[in-house]
Structures are given as C-alpha cells and as structure tokens.
Amino acid sequence: MKLSHNTVSLKGENLVVEILPLGASLISMKYNNSPNVVVRYQDLNDYQYNGVYLGTMVGPIAGRTKDAQFTIDGKTTHLSKNDNNNHLHGGYHGISTHVFNISYQSDSQVIFEDEISHQKDGYPGTVTYRIKYEVVDDELVLEVQAKSSSLLPLNITNHTYFNLEGSNSLSNQKLRIEADKVAFCDDSNANTGEFLNVKNTVFDFNNIKELSPNDKHPQFEITRYLDHDFRLNGNVALESSEYILEIETDMPYMRVYTSNWFDESFVNEHGEKAKNQSAVAFEPQYLANGYNITNSKEYLFNEGRTFRSRTAYKLKQK
C-alpha cells in the first residue's frame, strides 16, 4: 500500500523542515545548505512499518510500561505487550501509526489534530491530540497537547534521531546533557525508580564530550549504550565540526537513545543500511514507567487536565 499523503514543508529564515502526517513524523531538517540532520528512510513508504520510530510522535504512553499495565484507584488496565512483557510507545497501534488530520497549515506552521481510540492496545476511552510544529527564525518549536476521556498516565514525545553530518556514524560528533541524575533500567529495559548521580561517571555529559559506545557499565550490558532518562537541569546539545543542535524543553526528563538496535535493519536516505550508534534520539518526556514507580497524580491526565509540552530545536552553523 503506497502512501498517498504529501509531506508538509515549513520554512524560516535559514531553516527548512519536512513533516509527514503519518505519525506527525519529522523527516527532514536543514540549515541553509546543510545535510539533512534527521535520520529518515530512503523510501517514505517504510514509515508504515516504522519499527525504530524514526522521527515520529509516540504515545499515548512513551517508553516502556513495566509488565504492560498500570493501576488507578484499584483498577488495573492491561495494555498490549509489544516489547517482550512490556508495553512500548503506545503499543501496536500507537500514534506513530496514525495519519493525522491537518487542521491548519501556513509557510511556517502546521497543526495536526485528531481524536483517537487506543482500545486495540488496551486503553480505555479516547485521546484528543493537538500537535503543532512551527519554524520561528532558526528554531523548530514543537508543542503538544492531549486530553483523555479516561484518567490515563499520558506521556507523549517525539522520537527523532539526529546526525548533524547526515552520515552513518557519530564518530565526529559530541554530546552535552545538562542533567544531575540518570534513571536506571532493569533487564527488560524498563525504569526501576533507581537513579545515579551522573557526576564523574560515564553518564556525565554536563561538559560536552565525544560519544563513547565502547565505554563499560553494567547498564550497557542491557542497553548496548545510552538508552536512559536523564533528569534535566538545562538543555541538551549535539555538536559536529560545522553545526550545533540545541534542544530546550519544559519536560523534566530527556530520554537519550544512541540508536543501539538499528542492526542494519533498514536503508536510510543515502541508500546505506543504518548502523548502530549512528544517530541520537532525543525524547523529551516524563519519567518512563513513572506512574508505576511513583503512583503520583502528576502523571495522570483526563478531560479536566491537559497534557502539555513544548520543545524547541535550534540548529545553527558554527
């Protein structure tokens, strides 16, 4: 089945981005004549089978929900198990698989809006989404709103992978994460509630440094390299010899994932099989599995309490 949906192009003074209505997916981001800094499939039809979530929005619950369930007021909701025994990124029919309706479009802005039932993945009721991409000067601003007809631990994010050289390697790029702690995961890669102070560890990127996939840590025996929620106290940035991408978000955590499981499973836009640790996904969000860990009402949303997030991606030339 061929995709019949055209991409949406947004332009600023120096920035041009492209978005696909399927999953409201960011598929291209260029600064003047820069390479595309977003990893994408060579064939856009591959977004229908987007197993690594290239560029897409994910939800209603991003990350891994331990044992694919949560309990609110004594009632347990059982979700689909699409990641061994866990529920990942909204399940088999999450928003990454949905073709969004465009409610507004201009040269610099697009708004996707839809009411979606996620009952096939075990969720009660429906969720109404409003996803806005806007280019403001040299920034791409992503704003997300969501309301659920039932009380749910919503956690919606974007799953774009970046490589500032448009290459199949991160060997010449550096990472900065302004964060004090990182969340640890169990053997199933679900967060446990245990945190590590990053100072003077392999997880300390407060001072920009090169990525080192050969670093050793017990966590990396599970994740292969970075695939962790960092508790933010500032911004994150990726830097190459020519460009800097800085990301600012109002979300408390940033999942930083160094594409450890590409395993050459798809062909990128350059006609190459995508290699592991060849791009970084930045996923601004609440703590994954956070409601199961804390049972805090801050994770719960319904028609009376709207999920909101704002993330700005600033790409500039050195």
Side-chain angles (χ1 to χ4, degrees):
M1 176 179 163
K2 295 291 184 180
L3 285 175
S4 59
H5 305 279
N6 295 325
T7 60
V8 176
S9 181
L10 306 180
K11 297 179 181 180
E13 184 177 349
N14 297 293
L15 197 64
V16 179
V17 304
E18 285 185 86
I19 301 134
L20 194 67
L22 175 57
S25 303
L26 179 61
I27 65 171
S28 181
M29 186 175 183
K30 297 180 180 181
Y31 183 92
N32 286 333
N33 295 317
S34 79
N36 179 14
V37 302
V38 168
V39 178
R40 59 173 277 181
Y41 295 106
Q42 183 181 49
D43 184 349
L44 290 186
N45 288 290
D46 287 345
Y47 280 91
Q48 294 176 96
Y49 319 103
N50 193 354
V52 294
Y53 303 95
L54 290 189
T56 190
M57 301 298 301
V58 294
I61 304 178
R64 289 169 178 84
T65 301
K66 179 67 175 177
D67 295 329
Q69 63 182 37
F70 57 84
T71 301
I72 300 175
D73 297 330
K75 182 180 179 181
T76 298
T77 296
H78 296 276
L79 304 174
S80 59
K81 296 180 178 180
N82 64 321
D83 185 65
N84 296 317
N85 201 48
N86 297 328
H87 178 79
L88 175 65
H89 291 334
Y92 295 105
H93 309 280
I95 59 175
S96 63
T97 69
H98 182 79
V99 179
F100 278 90
N101 176 59
I102 298 173
S103 63
Y104 176 81
Q105 183 178 351
S106 69
D107 289 344
S108 62
Q109 183 182 142
V110 64
I111 299 174
F112 300 100
E113 291 186 283
D114 263 320
E115 181 179 1
I116 304 173
S117 169
H118 296 285
Q119 293 182 8
K120 288 182 179 180
D121 285 293
Y123 292 90
T126 61
V127 180
T128 302
Y129 297 91
R130 184 180 189 271
I131 299 167
K132 182 175 80 169
Y133 287 94
E134 183 176 13
V135 175
V136 182
D137 297 325
D138 294 334
E139 277 190 339
L140 174 63
V141 179
L142 171 60
E143 294 181 349
V144 180
Q145 296 181 25
K147 289 186 178 182
S148 173
S149 64
S150 301
L151 196 61
L152 288 179
L154 295 178
N155 195 12
I156 300 153
T157 190
N158 178 273
H159 204 290
T160 298
Y161 296 83
F162 293 94
N163 181 308
L164 300 188
E165 296 181 335
S167 69
N168 211 4
S169 169
L170 288 169
S171 60
N172 298 318
Q173 295 169 59
K174 298 179 180 180
L175 178 65
R176 185 180 80 241
I177 309 170
E178 295 177 354
D180 54 359
K181 292 186 177 182
V182 64
F184 273 4
C185 62
D186 62 16
D187 289 345
S188 73
N189 212 0
N191 285 340
T192 63
E194 178 186 2
F195 290 87
L196 172 73
N197 190 322
V198 303
K199 189 174 182 179
N200 298 323
T201 74
V202 294
F203 293 97
D204 190 352
F205 289 86
N206 281 285
N207 295 314
I208 196 162
K209 67 177 184 178
E210 293 181 354
L211 290 145
S212 301
N214 292 322
D215 279 350
K216 302 299 181 182
H217 192 278
Q219 283 284 292
F220 299 160
E221 295 176 13
I222 302 167
T223 62
R224 295 187 174 180
Y225 191 39
L226 298 180
D227 187 6
H228 294 83
D229 285 350
F230 287 79
R231 192 174 76 178
L232 297 176
N233 55 24
N235 300 337
V236 303
L238 187 65
E239 181 176 326
S240 70
S241 61
E242 292 189 58
Y243 298 97
I244 300 173
L245 174 71
E246 188 163 68
I247 304 175
E248 179 181 355
T249 184
D250 58 9
M251 289 285 95
Y253 290 86
M254 183 71 79
R255 186 79 170 197
V256 179
Y257 172 49
T258 49
S259 58
N260 307 318
W261 299 88
F262 275 180
D263 289 347
E264 299 189 352
S265 61
F266 68 92
V267 176
N268 63 26
E269 69 175 309
H270 309 295
E272 302 171 312
K273 289 186 176 180
K275 296 180 180 179
N276 293 339
Q277 288 98 39
S278 62
V280 184
F282 298 108
E283 307 163 54
Q285 59 185 284
Y286 289 106
L287 179 67
N289 200 40
Y291 177 70
N292 283 340
I293 291 168
T294 67
N295 290 312
S296 172
K297 291 184 177 179
E298 74 170 307
Y299 289 93
L300 299 180
F301 300 88
N302 56 15
E303 289 181 329
R305 181 168 184 248
T306 302
F307 174 96
R308 300 177 191 272
S309 72
R310 183 184 188 278
T311 302
Y313 305 83
K314 186 168 186 177
L315 181 63
K316 56 187 177 181
Q317 196 164 14
K318 287 185 175 180

